[in-house]
Amino acid sequence: MPSKAYMRLGKNLETVVRLQGTFYDAKKVRRMEGKGRGRAAFDHITRSAIVFLVSSFEVYCEELLRECGAVQVKSVKKADELPSEVKETLEQYVLEKNQPLRLCDDGWKSVYNEIVEKEINALNTPSVRHLQRLFKILVGLPENGIESMPIDVKKLDDLIQFRGQITHKVKADKYVTIECVDEYMDCIRGLTIGMDKLLLKYMRNRYKMKKVPWKSVYKK
C-alpha cells in the first residue's frame, strides 16, 4: 500500500469531494427551480473546497516527513551514516543549544525527532520552496528533487497563493469555479503520488533497504 501519509490524505480529501458534490447538487436544484444556467452565488462552497484541499495537502506533507524520519531512524545505526545535509542539521541544532553531547551514541535519534517536530509545527505554507528546504535538511533529498517530478509543481504555488487570497480576504480576486476546484484536486492527487514515489525511491537507494516502508500502488 502507499505511505500512511497518502492513505490519510485520501480520508481528508473526502471533505473536498463532499463539497464538490454539494456544489453540483445546488446547481441541479437551481435548474429544477427554473433559474437557468447563470452564475449563482455558490462560490462559498468552492472557496471552502480550496481551503480544505490545501489543508489536506499540508497534513500530508507533515505526515510524510514524519514517516521518512522514522525510516531514517530505523535504517541508520550511527549518525555518521546519515546524509550530510541531515548531519549538518543535527550539528547546528545542538551547537545552538550548547548541547553537543546529546549526539553521542543513540542520542542523535531523540535530537532528530525533536527537530522534525519543531520544523513540522512551524510549517504553515506548504509551498515548493518550503518543501524543498524541509526534505533537504530532514531527509537529505536534493533541492531539485521535487522539481524533477514529471508533473507541473508550479501549480502548487498557484494553489497556495489562491488559498491565501481566500483566507486573508474571505473572497478570492476571481470567482472560484468548480472547474478550478477539480483542476487543483487533480494537481494535488498527482503531486502527492509523485512525492510518495520520489521519497520511496530516494530512501531505497540511499539505505539499500530490502524491505520497503511502502509500495507505489495507487488507485486511479
Side-chain angles (χ1 to χ4, degrees):
M1 64 174 60
S3 69
K4 293 178 182 177
Y6 186 83
M7 298 294 286
R8 181 174 177 181
L9 173 75
K11 294 183 179 299
N12 289 341
L13 287 182
E14 289 176 2
T15 298
V16 181
V17 172
R18 287 197 296 271
L19 286 167
Q20 289 172 307
T22 299
F23 179 90
Y24 286 116
D25 288 343
K27 293 284 286 187
K28 183 178 180 180
V29 170
R30 179 180 172 83
R31 292 194 185 99
M32 290 176 64
E33 292 176 346
K35 295 182 180 179
R37 294 177 174 272
R39 177 173 289 180
F42 294 144
D43 71 332
H44 61 289
I45 301 174
T46 50
R47 291 198 308 272
S48 298
I50 292 294
V51 172
F52 274 107
L53 184 57
V54 176
S55 296
S56 298
F57 176 68
E58 183 176 331
V59 171
Y60 164 80
C61 293
E62 293 171 351
E63 292 300 317
L64 187 61
L65 281 164
R66 285 194 182 97
E67 216 164 329
C68 290
V71 170
Q72 289 199 128
V73 168
K74 183 177 180 180
S75 302
V76 175
K77 294 182 179 180
K78 298 180 180 179
D80 285 343
E81 299 173 3
L82 289 165
S84 58
E85 295 85 357
V86 180
K87 286 191 290 186
E88 184 178 337
T89 300
L90 287 168
E91 291 167 358
Q92 183 177 349
Y93 185 78
V94 295
L95 285 176
E96 288 177 355
K97 292 182 173 292
N98 195 26
Q99 300 172 333
L101 292 179
R102 290 187 64 190
L103 297 182
C104 294
D105 300 323
D106 285 342
W108 69 268
K109 295 182 179 181
S110 62
V111 174
Y112 175 76
N113 289 330
E114 191 176 304
I115 296 172
V116 170
E117 288 303 315
K118 173 179 174 290
E119 292 290 344
I120 285 175
N121 291 334
L123 177 65
N124 55 25
T125 307
S127 64
V128 172
R129 179 171 60 86
H130 288 159
L131 294 180
Q132 285 175 324
R133 172 185 171 272
L134 287 177
F135 282 103
K136 177 183 178 181
I137 68 171
L138 299 179
V139 185
L141 184 72
E143 285 193 350
N144 64 351
I146 293 177
E147 292 180 344
S148 69
M149 294 189 298
I151 53 178
D152 186 5
V153 296
K154 292 181 180 179
K155 284 186 177 180
L156 172 60
D157 285 343
D158 293 339
L159 173 58
I160 299 299
Q161 184 178 9
F162 199 26
R163 190 276 302 264
Q165 291 178 6
I166 295 171
T167 55
H168 294 119
K169 300 179 182 179
V170 181
K171 278 185 173 289
D173 291 341
K174 61 181 180 180
Y175 184 89
V176 184
T177 65
I178 192 64
E179 290 79 14
C180 177
V181 175
D182 294 342
E183 180 181 350
Y184 280 129
M185 181 74 138
D186 290 341
C187 169
I188 290 301
R189 288 192 186 279
L191 180 60
T192 50
I193 289 175
M195 289 175 65
D196 248 39
K197 291 180 176 180
L198 175 69
L199 269 299
L200 177 61
K201 181 179 179 180
Y202 168 78
M203 290 189 296
R204 286 184 69 177
N205 293 337
R206 183 68 178 72
Y207 299 112
K208 310 298 180 185
M209 53 183 63
K210 296 179 180 179
K211 185 178 180 180
V212 295
W214 64 80
K215 296 181 180 179
S216 300
V217 180
Y218 304 89
K219 294 181 180 180
K220 294 183 178 179

